[in-house]
Amino acid sequence: MSVAVVVWGENGALVEGLERLRGAVTVVRRCAELTEVVALAETGLADAALLAGDPGLIDAPVLDALAGRGILAVVLTNDPGEAARLGGLGAAVESPGTDAQALSDLLEMLVAGAVGTPAAGAGLAGPERAGTQVPDPGPAMAGGTPAGRIVAVWGPAGSPGRTTVAVNFAAEAALAGRRVVLLDADTYGASVAAHLGLLDESAGLAHLCRLADQFVLDGAGFERACSVVAVAGTRLRVATGISRPARWPELRPEALARVLEFLRRQADVVVVDVSFCLEADEDLSFDTSAPQRNGAALAVLEAADEVLAVGAADSVGVPRLVKGVEELRAAVPGCEPAVVFNRVRASAVGPSPERQLRLTWERFGPEVRIKGFLPQDAAAADLALHAGSVLAEAAPNSALRSAVAALAGAGPRRRAPLLARRRTDL
């Protein structure tokens, strides 16, 4: 077996030692920059990368790019902190003092599959490597707390009410006594902050992704990145979305996947508002290694335990939802969304609107279950949006609030004292 290796960093003696062995390991290129290593990975000329330069320059995007092309990464460092970080991100870590023969044997075994390395993106969720310390995610991990559920709120184009459902679903879950984190992963029109009256330009979710990319996401970082919002007598954590659509590259799919796995241990329920578009960027470009704008939505939908497909209950929204659910199931194999009809009203559907919608879906829709019907209640929705609040505060006795509470598995509750929208510190 022949192993082609590219080398980055100043370690000429080690490279010369590998070449003198004249064994299975062959150094095919010495690279001056990490970007050159990643570019070579695209050519298919290498099986492994030996990274002997400054380990602080090696981050998750680099390792994910290599892993995505089947390139195994071996990093040389004596820094215990860097060894833990890079090991958690999926790299094999060795000492710079390792002799050439031992390093050659390691590379052969790695390529042959005799020694397993964690897959890229599995740092926070995967098993710990020997000698690797995973950052402490906080008290929620103590005592083996079961992982929380991820609920993705998705819907086709046309503003069917995704964010309204996501925000109020999260609020009702929190009122039911669950620990809830609400994420805004919409890369086209993030609006969770506006719904909750938050003047937050920091893009909390992008901050979490940056921490995950460096494998330094822990309980303290999570608390700094997420706002604590008081709603109807309880509180929930909110990671706001990107402030401008042009910032979508900050939500890398691999980093977002790490964030979601981390948050499973921080909350009972993680509610994620995602954008409508599921089009794969590979369909638009031959450069398949380019960042993917829709990658964030696809990453969330793939990781979700439950997907709520929200559609408007009218003659335009229902056909869109039918086509959208079919596209969703094709884009995310194995995904079985639960349909939620929003703005249900007799004037748009006819007498007995819920019955009409069920019959229509049974006849034309994919074979997925209908989970809920949310009535048209523009007054309640407008009141909540105008107040930067949730239905449980602005319109606690409304039919819309009762329907969302049932959707979240929580019965309607007595109105709590109205609390000002604010970010608080725990």
Side-chain angles (χ1 to χ4, degrees), residues 341 353-363 370 373:
F341 287 108
E354 292 188 11
R355 179 175 177 276
Q356 294 292 339
L357 288 167
R358 286 189 184 279
L359 292 174
T360 300
W361 191 262
E362 289 173 4
R363 182 175 179 182
I370 298 174
F373 299 89

Side-chain angles (χ1 to χ4, degrees), residues 273-294:
D273 181 13
V274 296
S275 59
F276 67 94
C277 192
L278 304 175
E279 190 172 31
D281 295 341
E282 285 85 349
D283 296 339
L284 309 177
S285 170
F286 292 107
D287 186 4
T288 57
S289 66
Q292 298 181 8
R293 179 166 192 168
N294 304 321

Side-chain angles (χ1 to χ4, degrees), residues 265-335:
R265 297 291 182 178
Q266 295 292 324
D268 301 314
V269 182
V270 181
V271 181
V272 192
D273 181 13
V274 296
S275 59
F276 67 94
C277 192
L278 304 175
E279 190 172 31
D281 295 341
E282 285 85 349
D283 296 339
L284 309 177
S285 170
F286 292 107
D287 186 4
T288 57
S289 66
Q292 298 181 8
R293 179 166 192 168
N294 304 321
L298 292 171
V300 171
L301 293 168
E302 289 170 359
D305 300 294
E306 183 177 16
V307 176
L308 301 181
V310 180
D314 54 45
S315 57
V316 174
V318 172
R320 280 179 175 173
L321 184 59
V322 169
K323 295 176 183 177
V325 169
E326 291 174 345
E327 293 173 0
L328 171 59
R329 297 172 79 189
V332 186
C335 178

Side-chain angles (χ1 to χ4, degrees), residues 106-119:
L106 173 64
L107 289 166
E108 284 189 65
M109 288 189 293
L110 286 173
V111 173
V115 176
T117 58

Side-chain angles (χ1 to χ4, degrees), residues 163 167 182-184 189-203 227 229 238-243 273 385 388-389 421:
T163 304
V167 167
L182 173 62
L183 307 182
D184 191 343
S191 56
V192 165
H195 273 255
L196 291 173
L198 298 176
L199 299 177
D200 191 349
E201 295 294 323
S202 62
S227 302
V229 180
V238 179
T240 54
I242 52 178
S243 55
D273 181 13
L385 185 59
S389 183
R421 299 269 59 71

